[in-house]
Amino acid sequence: MSTSTLTKEEAILRGALQEFLEHGYAGTSMDKVASSAGVSKATVYSHFQDKEHLFIALIDQFTEQRMAVFLGLSQDSISENQFQEANSTHELKTGLKQIALSMIHEVSEDEFILPFMRLLVAESGRFPNLGKTFLTHMELRGLNVISEYLSSYPHLKLKDPEAVARIFVGSLVHYMIVQEMLHGKEVIPMEPERLVDSLVDLVVTQAENKK
Amino acid sequence: MSTSTLTKEEAILRGALQEFLEHGYAGTSMDKVASSAGVSKATVYSHFQDKEHLFIALIDQFTEQRMAVFLGLSQDSISENQFQEANSTHELKTGLKQIALSMIHEVSEDEFILPFMRLLVAESGRFPNLGKTFLTHMELRGLNVISEYLSSYPHLKLKDPEAVARIFVGSLVHYMIVQEMLHGKEVIPMEPERLVDSLVDLVVTQAENKK
DNA sequence: GTCTATAAAGAGATAGAC
DNA sequence: GTCTATCTCTTTATAGAC
């Protein structure tokens, strides 16, 4: 899909994405959005009531897009792991490790995710629905994927798979917030494998011992 | 310490704290800082070069203050738990649970921590030193406290206590980000005890099984 | 140091021509 | 729908009096 086929509205949303992700809500001017989109400011206002509506429309669109991508990915992850259904703890470990590393990989590959999360955290105080929408559409789905994956292994009799899913996802998200968003790589470095190995160990070890 | 004994500079920093925490960096005007501090704008500029320097000075001061409080707290936590040095896994569980719950409690008690973390995440892209300072002065210390606490229990032969400390702290921080900052309480609720119990179980269970 | 007043630039939003 | 030009208010920052 080339730039020349963009409608004005798509161009505006694309320009808005770039500006809002880079400068935040208050730090973004409608002038910059317009010039980044290659249209006039009046055109922006002919498509979107005001700055706030543009912002919300942008976040909604972005969340929806990412959700589609994410759903595709998690489908893949599940089916990749489902043909290994011999359910040894070794395979569970491999599966969990793969899921964790691919989560980390996906975030470092995608140039938009980190600034988007930054914006989400920054503005969910003033725009509470931003956080809620993200959580119900993205986070909850991610938690369910992990939770069901954990529950599907009979050896792993977890008391509370939903809570463990939060721990699993939370450890990884926090790791990325610290390492990437707060520049922890430079001041408190830790290789992804170290975190992931310990995480998978904590979740799976008890199953090994009960064997 | 009453308001009347504040120097102008202290008053400015206090006003700046309120405004920046509530409206973010770009969303805060020097006019509002001045009026919130009860001084004129020119006075603000006589103490601080410009908005950026004021902001950085504020964050540094706040980080230093909190660090002092935090160091006091973690001293307490450690000594509270050190007289229980009979090191049964039951006591380890109790100690970890207490640490986790007091972390969560502390955050919900303190009206400044959440907005501060929001601001930190929001602005550490444009001000990388914000994140780095926070991590070296606060996060790293917190991780070390947990890490040393974990290492101090002989039954718990963790391969990598530092990584486990990240998982421990990360799960809790992520939980608070989701529940409090992104308003997860209202859309994907989960009681603190559920998370903490599972977390402590994951960390300690393997020690129980090796007993 | 501290104030009032103001300069100079940038912001959100709209009018009016095409 | 789309543009240029503009209105109006707010912003950062400073000049000058006390």
Side-chain angles (χ1 to χ4, degrees), chain A residues 6-186:
Chain A
L6 287 181
T7 67
K8 297 282 177 184
E9 189 162 325
E10 286 168 336
I12 293 166
L13 284 168
R14 191 174 284 207
L17 182 67
Q18 184 147 349
E19 295 300 318
F20 280 124
L21 287 191
E22 191 171 340
H23 302 106
Y25 179 75
T28 292
S29 72
M30 296 297 263
D31 284 270
K32 284 200 206 121
V33 169
S35 81
S36 170
V39 302
S40 76
K41 198 160 52 157
T43 301
V44 175
Y45 278 96
S46 90
H47 286 268
F48 300 93
Q49 207 177 111
D50 56 22
K51 189 180 176 181
E52 196 169 315
H53 283 80
L54 170 60
F55 181 64
I56 291 170
L58 171 71
I59 299 288
D60 284 351
Q61 191 220 32
F62 188 82
T63 304
E64 216 160 319
Q65 271 181 10
R66 293 292 134 166
M67 181 174 55
V69 174
F70 175 77
L71 283 179
L73 281 177
S74 56
Q75 279 307 106
D76 292 351
S77 298
I78 289 176
S79 42
E80 269 178 38
N81 284 297
Q82 248 164 5
F83 66 74
Q84 306 182 340
E85 213 172 337
N87 63 43
S88 69
T89 56
H90 175 72
E91 281 165 10
L92 175 58
K93 271 187 164 178
T94 309
L96 283 176
K97 188 168 173 175
Q98 191 202 81
I99 290 176
L101 288 175
S102 77
M103 268 185 66
I104 294 177
H105 183 74
E106 202 189 325
V107 170
S108 14
E109 288 289 282
D110 188 329
E111 57 173 334
F112 294 110
I113 292 185
L114 284 176
F116 177 75
M117 287 185 58
R118 213 191 282 277
L119 189 61
L120 199 70
V121 169
E123 302 302 337
S124 58
R126 281 172 286 273
F127 301 97
N129 282 336
L130 256 55
K132 292 183 193 170
T133 302
F134 173 79
L135 290 179
T136 44
H137 289 86
M138 297 287 294
E139 180 95 9
L140 185 57
R141 279 188 166 76
L143 289 173
N144 285 341
V145 169
I146 304 292
S147 180
E148 281 161 25
Y149 185 75
L150 291 173
S151 304
S152 74
Y153 276 82
H155 275 322
L156 200 65
K157 286 270 176 248
L158 296 172
K159 280 183 215 156
D160 191 343
E162 286 179 34
V164 174
R166 290 222 185 193
I167 293 165
F168 191 86
V169 173
S171 301
L172 296 172
V173 172
H174 176 262
Y175 173 77
M176 293 182 287
I177 289 176
V178 168
Q179 299 308 103
E180 307 290 338
M181 293 181 60
L182 302 180
H183 310 282
K185 270 183 172 168
E186 302 164 44

Side-chain angles (χ1 to χ4, degrees), chain B residues 45 71 123 134 142 149 158 167 199 208:
Chain B
Y45 279 98
L71 284 179
E123 302 302 337
F134 173 78
Y149 185 76
L158 295 172
I167 293 165
L199 180 57
E208 272 180 339

